[in-house]
Every structure is written in C-alpha cells, then in structure tokens.
Amino acid sequence: GSFDAFKIEPSVVYLSDGKLRQQARQVTVWVPDDRRRLPIRMEAAVFIGAVRIDLVEVRDGGVRLTADP
C-alpha cells in the first residue's frame, strides 16, 4: 500500500583529519507519519554500490504485523 512518510537524509559532520570524509556515504531513511514511527526503509551508498533495507514484519506482543495489505 501507500502512505505518508518522512524522508530523512542525515548529514555527516567531519571532525577528523579527513579520514572519515573518505568513508562517509549518503544515507536515506523513510519513517511513516504514524504514532509508532518505525523506520520502514533505509538506503545507503557503500563501497560496492548501494544497499536497500525494507521493514517487512513487526512482532508486537506475539502478534505478527506485516507490511503487506
């Protein structure tokens, strides 16, 4: 399904002598506009390309909640 979500793109503050600057990559996190605010997707640039992580299941008190309608 579709729903409203916040797209968060944090920035990295470089406090080192440049070593961290070469390792830092872009990260994006999506958080739904609901009361639980569980991250539902994360994307990150890594040395081999990109990684995408999607939340597919939440277990809350033994009750299985899935992302599928």
Side-chain angles (χ1 to χ4, degrees), residues 35-36 38 57-65:
R35 72 177 176 82
R36 293 179 65 177
L38 294 172
E57 179 180 296
V58 175
R59 292 184 185 256
D60 187 9
V63 177
R64 182 177 177 217
L65 308 170

Side-chain angles (χ1 to χ4, degrees), residues 6 8 24 29 31 37 43 47-49 52 62 68-69:
F6 298 103
I8 302 167
V29 180
V31 179
R37 301 272 204 265
E43 291 182 353
F47 69 97
I48 59 169
R52 184 173 87 183
D68 297 329

Side-chain angles (χ1 to χ4, degrees), residues 3-8 10 27-43 52-58 65 67:
F3 43 86
D4 293 330
F6 298 103
K7 181 179 179 182
I8 302 167
V27 174
T28 305
V29 180
W30 283 266
V31 179
D33 186 17
D34 64 10
R35 72 177 176 82
R36 293 179 65 177
R37 301 272 204 265
L38 294 172
I40 54 174
R41 174 173 284 174
M42 293 176 56
E43 291 182 353
R52 184 173 87 183
I53 302 166
D54 289 327
L55 178 67
V56 295
E57 179 180 296
V58 175
L65 308 170

Side-chain angles (χ1 to χ4, degrees), residues 8-23:
I8 302 167
E9 296 178 331
S11 60
V12 176
V13 176
Y14 300 107
L15 300 176
S16 67
D17 59 358
K19 293 178 185 173
L20 179 62
R21 183 182 305 266
Q22 295 172 353
Q23 297 173 2

